[in-house]
């Protein structure tokens, strides 16, 4: 029962899918970050379903673009938008953290979101679906969430409030780090076995940059930064996937 509640906590927080209502407590939140990658598995399954449907090319590209948004409810895009506003302020750390808490969407966030979706849609239009590509992308969607959860459990926290702090402090951080590190390694191995080395390099590069930007600009990670990382990791892996197909590697 606790395992099912743990999965439900992860889906209730990180997706828009309907979940049973119950109280969150120390037991069912302890390993919720480990269940977070399951949301990526659902996104991957629906992405593959979209790829197999007999849809026009533009409709399929739109489906590829929107499936993660529909499943997650845009929670990670919200973090991306807030982080864009904060970084564009060029203020000190305290100012950036204050902007992250502001519920309003600034001009830079709107510009970056429009640019993000234009690029994402274009890349989706470049991807030709095959069973191998579907498997690669499903693994990528799982892996990016494993990396995001690993960062929350392993990186220093920028503040003692907020989503990242709530899940990090409720987690058994040592065992969560171990479990997610093993999952990240397993996903990377599977991607490499399928020829997705470019996706692994893209994810690793974004993850390393995430650590240094979070530490230098914000003093640590937050829920918004975790969401921003996930969106950046996703679009760079998608670009790697599209590039590999264009070069004839996949």
């Amino acid at each position: 029962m606790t395992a099912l509640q743990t999965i439900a906590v992860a889906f209730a927080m990180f997706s828009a899918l309907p979940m049973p209502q119950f109280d969150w407590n120390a037991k069912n939140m302890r390993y919720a970050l480990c269940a977070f990658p399951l949301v990526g598995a659902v996104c991957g399954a629906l992405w593959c379903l979209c790829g197999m449907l007999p849809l026009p090319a533009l409709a399929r590209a739109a489906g590829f673009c929107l499936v993660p948004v529909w499943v997650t409810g845009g929670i990670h895009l919200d973090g991306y938008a807030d982080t864009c506003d904060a970084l564009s302020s060029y203020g000190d750390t305290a100012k950036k953290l204050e902007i992250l808490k502001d519920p309003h969407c600034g001009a830079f966030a709107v510009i970056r979101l429009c640019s993000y979706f234009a690029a994402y849609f274009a890349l989706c239009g470049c991807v030709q679906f095959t069973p191998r590509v579907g498997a690669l992308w499903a693994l990528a969607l799982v892996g990016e969430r494993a990396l995001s959860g690993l960062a929350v459990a392993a990186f220093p926290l920028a503040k003692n409030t907020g989503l990242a702090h709530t899940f990090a402090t409720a987690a058994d951080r040592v065992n969560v780090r171990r479990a997610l590190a093993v999952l990240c390694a397993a996903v990377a191995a599977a991607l490499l076995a399928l020829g997705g080395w470019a996706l692994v390099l893209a994810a690793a590069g974004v993850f390393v940059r995430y650590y240094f930007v979070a530490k230098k600009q914000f003093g640590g990670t937050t829920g918004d930064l975790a969401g921003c990382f996930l969106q950046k990791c996703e679009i760079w892996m998608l670009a790697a996937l599209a590039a590999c197909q264009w070069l004839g590697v996949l």
Side-chain angles (χ1 to χ4, degrees):
M1 182 62 71
T2 301
L4 292 176
Q5 287 190 2
T6 297
I7 293 171
V9 167
F11 274 84
M13 185 66 249
F14 299 111
S15 83
L17 302 176
M19 287 290 124
Q21 300 297 311
F22 53 86
D23 292 333
W24 294 9
N25 54 51
K27 285 187 176 180
N28 57 37
M29 290 187 69
R30 186 173 299 162
Y31 298 107
L33 287 173
C34 294
F36 179 28
L38 293 175
V39 179
V42 173
C43 291
L46 293 175
W47 196 89
C48 290
L49 176 61
C50 179
M52 290 185 289
L53 292 175
L55 298 172
L58 287 179
R60 181 178 292 108
F64 286 162
C65 185
L66 294 174
V67 158
V69 181
W70 289 337
V71 173
T72 64
I75 184 173
H76 309 302
L77 284 165
D78 176 70
Y80 175 78
D82 288 342
T83 303
C84 288
D85 269 340
L87 290 173
S88 298
S89 72
Y90 295 100
D92 57 17
T93 298
K95 176 65 175 177
K96 291 187 179 77
L97 291 174
E98 190 66 28
I99 292 172
L100 290 182
K101 293 191 297 183
D102 190 342
H104 299 93
C105 192
F108 288 107
V110 174
I111 293 168
R112 298 290 177 83
L113 281 172
C114 290
S115 301
Y116 184 94
F117 273 108
Y120 200 106
F121 179 75
L123 290 170
C124 286
C126 294
V127 172
Q128 300 298 315
F129 180 81
T130 65
R132 183 183 179 189
V133 166
L136 282 168
W137 193 241
L139 286 167
L141 293 175
V142 170
E144 68 181 8
R145 284 164 174 79
L147 284 171
S148 184
L150 177 62
V152 170
F155 289 3
L157 299 174
K159 53 185 182 178
N160 57 7
T161 59
L163 176 63
H165 180 268
T166 298
F167 276 83
T169 53
D172 180 349
R173 296 184 74 173
V174 173
N175 286 324
V176 166
R177 285 198 295 265
R178 288 173 179 168
L180 290 176
V182 169
L183 178 57
C184 289
V187 169
L191 287 170
L192 291 172
L194 289 170
W197 55 269
L199 282 75
V200 175
L201 289 177
V206 176
F207 188 73
V208 170
R209 186 175 187 276
Y210 168 32
Y211 172 77
F212 286 107
V213 169
K215 189 174 180 181
K216 179 179 179 181
Q217 300 288 342
F218 297 90
T221 192
T222 70
D224 284 322
L225 295 179
C228 181
F229 158 74
L230 194 145
Q231 295 297 155
K232 285 191 172 183
C233 187
E234 191 165 308
I235 197 168
W236 278 105
M237 286 194 296
L238 183 61
L241 181 64
C244 284
Q245 280 203 315
W246 181 65
L247 293 171
V249 178
L250 291 175

